[in-house]
């Protein structure tokens, strides 16, 4: 009964427009006052414990690194280099869009940040070369979801903390799924290019000299993911230390090498990152209270008993969970969803033999799709702000990519080797 009231209060507050973080906190406090389920002292301690986390420090640092790299001109040079490689093909700028998003994903760890960094440059350029606005905007919004699959990934960090799993292992597990989504989106972009009858103008011819020139300009941007990920997998530093190095590297490159980032602009970048980080950390704090109350009400145990009562087949249970996560991703912010649902769902899937690392990838893919689906659809709003296209038009244009997302989600879910092969080979994870 208390659990139903808790969820009812949460959804009511969200429905009337209260921010999700505040809704989580208010609904939890109301539960405490109404039912005496817990004490304020206990919940205050849970907030401190949730935020007092060394791995969690990587989240604001990666957010700041992504903002600095965007402001420092790294994304623009990445796009120019990729364009020199594949821009001359049919649907070439579509490939550039996806590949640039994949490269930037290996720097930022954020889906909306990837859309903003790549879309700001790619959407206007694609329009100049006579791609439709619907085509360029929907592709950018879809490609942005790769930002949370290719490491480093903020959702993987949050899942690792919530599930007490290795963040480094999760990063490795996301590589092949992320690349599969890149290939799927490029194939879809080509099919749509042919079907819609586009004739890309100004594409030019492949020229090694152009590749070399753009490579020289992009070399510092290309080194960023190599330094960050190479350092993690080489055992030189932890993900948190890698995030700090990413901040320092992007600051030096943006200010002193590319010189696109001016000293006077740095406070503005820090302020923007602080606002984003503050929102994420508020979600972490209040979601910890909400999650503690769910645990006290034995919601994870009750859900596990219910699902295993429906079926003891991993195939059926994962299908049900996938449907639930897809719906949750449409209405709830990713970080909050991971913090709340991981303690509830992880015991269910491990009880039927699903690897916790695999489930982290499955959960992240599901919630990443939520970035591209209304009504929350953050990627849609970011892309809309860049192109000026309405959410309704983008939502319609993104449908072919959504079909690809669902197909690949099912592959990731039911072919564990896609996620677990690399960890098993590189670090011996099961």
């Amino acid at each position: 009964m208390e659990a139903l009231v808790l969820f009812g209060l949460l959804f009511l507050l969200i429905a009337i427009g209260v921010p999700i973080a505040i809704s989580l906190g208010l609904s939890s406090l109301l539960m405490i006052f109404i039912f005496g389920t817990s004490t304020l002292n206990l919940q205050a301690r849970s907030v401190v414990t949730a935020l007092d986390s060394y791995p969690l420090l990587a989240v604001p640092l990666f957010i700041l690194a992504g903002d600095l790299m965007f402001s420092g001109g790294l994304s623009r040079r990445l796009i120019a280099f990729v364009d020199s490689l594949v821009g001359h093909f049919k649907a070439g700028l579509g490939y550039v869009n996806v590949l640039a998003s994949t490269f930037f994903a290996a720097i930022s760890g954020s889906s909306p940040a990837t859309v903003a960094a790549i879309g700001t440059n790619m959407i206007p350029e694609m329009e100049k070369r006579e791609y439709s606005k619907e085509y360029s905007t929907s592709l950018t919004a879809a490609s942005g979801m790769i930002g949370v699959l290719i490491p480093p990934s903020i959702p993987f960090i949050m899942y690792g903390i919530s599930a007490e799993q290795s963040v480094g292992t999760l990063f490795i597990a996301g590589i092949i799924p992320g690349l599969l989504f890149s290939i799927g989106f490029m194939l879809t972009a080509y099919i749509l290019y042919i079907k819609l009858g586009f004739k890309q103008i100004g594409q030019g011819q492949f020229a090694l000299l152009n590749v070399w020139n753009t490579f020289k300009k992009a070399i510092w941007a290309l080194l960023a993911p190599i330094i960050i990920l190479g350092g993690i997998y080489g055992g030189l530093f932890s993900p948190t230390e890698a995030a700090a190095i990413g901040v320092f590297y992007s600051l030096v490159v943006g200010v002193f090498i590319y010189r696109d980032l001016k000293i006077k602009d740095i406070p503005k970048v820090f302020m923007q990152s602080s606002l984003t980080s503050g929102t994420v950390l508020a979600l972490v704090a209040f979601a910890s209270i909400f999650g503690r109350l769910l645990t006290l009400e034995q919601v994870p145990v009750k859900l596990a008993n219910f699902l295993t009562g429906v079926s003891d087949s991993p195939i059926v249970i994962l299908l049900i969970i996938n449907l639930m996560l897809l719906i949750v991703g449409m209405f709830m912010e990713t970080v909050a969803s991971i913090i709340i649902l991981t303690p509830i769902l992880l015991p269910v899937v491990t009880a039927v033999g699903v690897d916790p690392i695999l489930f982290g990838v499955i959960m992240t893919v599901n919630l990443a799709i939520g970035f591209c689906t209304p009504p929350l659809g953050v990627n849609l709003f970011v892309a809309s702000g860049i192109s000026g296209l309405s959410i309704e038009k983008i939502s319609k244009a993104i449908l072919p990519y959504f079909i690809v997302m669902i197909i690949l989600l099912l592959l990731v879910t039911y072919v564990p080797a896609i996620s677990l092969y690399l960890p098993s080979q590189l670090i011996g994870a099961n």
Side-chain angles (χ1 to χ4, degrees), residues 200-235:
Q200 177 177 292
I201 64 169
Q203 63 190 58
Q205 298 293 323
F206 177 80
L208 281 176
L209 181 60
N210 187 33
V211 173
W212 173 244
N213 288 334
T214 56
F215 173 76
K216 287 191 296 183
K217 294 177 182 178
I219 183 63
W220 295 102
L222 294 169
L223 281 174
I226 295 173
I227 292 171
I228 293 171
L229 300 179
I232 294 173
Y233 302 142

Side-chain angles (χ1 to χ4, degrees), residues 75 78-79 82 94-111 113-115 117-119 122 139-140 142-153 174-186 221-222 224-226 229:
S75 59
L78 279 173
I79 290 171
V82 177
Y95 303 154
V96 173
N97 195 318
V98 177
L99 291 173
S101 295
T102 305
F103 271 113
F104 194 79
I107 300 173
S108 71
S110 166
S111 185
T114 301
V115 175
I118 303 305
M122 284 304 307
L139 176 58
T140 304
S143 299
M145 71 161 288
I146 301 169
V148 296
L149 299 179
I150 297 290
S153 161
I175 293 174
I176 293 179
L179 293 177
L180 279 178
F181 274 86
S182 298
I183 294 168
F185 290 157
M186 284 193 287
L222 294 169
I226 295 173
L229 300 179

Side-chain angles (χ1 to χ4, degrees), residues 120-132:
T120 302
N121 295 284
M122 284 304 307
I123 292 176
E125 183 63 25
M126 291 179 78
E127 286 187 62
K128 287 180 186 176
R129 300 199 198 177
E130 295 193 354
Y131 289 80
S132 74

Side-chain angles (χ1 to χ4, degrees), residues 61-341:
L61 288 173
F62 273 126
I63 290 172
L64 177 57
D67 286 342
L68 287 170
M69 290 174 185
F70 173 50
S71 301
L74 277 74
S75 59
R76 178 165 54 82
R77 289 169 174 83
L78 279 173
I79 290 171
F81 172 61
V82 177
D83 189 18
S84 71
L85 289 173
V86 299
H88 60 286
F89 292 117
K90 288 183 178 180
L93 278 195
Y95 303 154
V96 173
N97 195 318
V98 177
L99 291 173
S101 295
T102 305
F103 271 113
F104 194 79
I107 300 173
S108 71
S110 166
S111 185
T114 301
V115 175
I118 303 305
T120 302
N121 295 284
M122 284 304 307
I123 292 176
E125 183 63 25
M126 291 179 78
E127 286 187 62
K128 287 180 186 176
R129 300 199 198 177
E130 295 193 354
Y131 289 80
S132 74
K133 189 174 288 189
E134 287 84 356
Y135 179 95
S136 59
T137 308
S138 61
L139 176 58
T140 304
S143 299
M145 71 161 288
I146 301 169
V148 296
L149 299 179
I150 297 290
S153 161
I154 291 173
F156 279 153
I157 294 171
M158 300 311 307
Y159 176 83
I161 295 170
S162 300
E164 298 181 350
Q165 297 294 316
S166 165
V167 173
T169 304
L170 286 163
F171 281 179
I172 297 173
I175 293 174
I176 293 179
L179 293 177
L180 279 178
F181 274 86
S182 298
I183 294 168
F185 290 157
M186 284 193 287
L187 180 60
T188 308
Y190 175 79
I191 293 171
L192 290 175
Y193 177 90
I194 299 300
K195 181 179 179 181
L196 297 173
F198 294 138
K199 299 294 182 183
Q200 177 177 292
I201 64 169
Q203 63 190 58
Q205 298 293 323
F206 177 80
L208 281 176
L209 181 60
N210 187 33
V211 173
W212 173 244
N213 288 334
T214 56
F215 173 76
K216 287 191 296 183
K217 294 177 182 178
I219 183 63
W220 295 102
L222 294 169
L223 281 174
I226 295 173
I227 292 171
I228 293 171
L229 300 179
I232 294 173
Y233 302 142
L236 298 178
F237 35 75
S238 69
T240 301
E241 292 165 341
I245 289 169
V247 170
F248 177 76
Y249 181 85
S250 56
L251 194 60
V252 170
V253 171
V255 174
F256 299 107
I257 298 177
Y258 288 156
R259 299 182 181 179
D260 284 9
L261 181 62
K262 307 302 180 185
I263 298 292
K264 63 181 177 64
D265 295 328
I266 293 178
K268 181 180 177 181
V269 176
F270 274 68
M271 180 62 71
Q272 177 184 332
S273 298
S274 298
L275 291 172
T276 306
S277 299
T279 302
V280 172
L281 295 177
L283 282 167
V284 172
F286 291 123
S288 69
I289 303 176
F290 193 89
R292 178 66 66 88
L293 291 177
L294 291 178
T295 302
L296 291 173
E297 291 300 319
Q298 294 188 315
V299 171
V301 176
K302 293 174 183 176
L303 181 63
N305 292 336
F306 170 75
L307 288 176
T308 52
V310 173
S311 173
D312 59 359
S313 168
I315 295 174
V316 175
I317 288 177
L318 285 174
L319 181 61
I320 295 171
I321 290 176
N322 273 339
L323 291 171
M324 185 181 77
L325 288 173
L326 285 172
I327 294 171
V328 168
M330 293 171 64
F331 296 96
M332 187 173 287
E333 202 277 335
T334 300
V335 170
S337 301
I338 289 173
I339 297 171
I340 293 171
L341 295 176

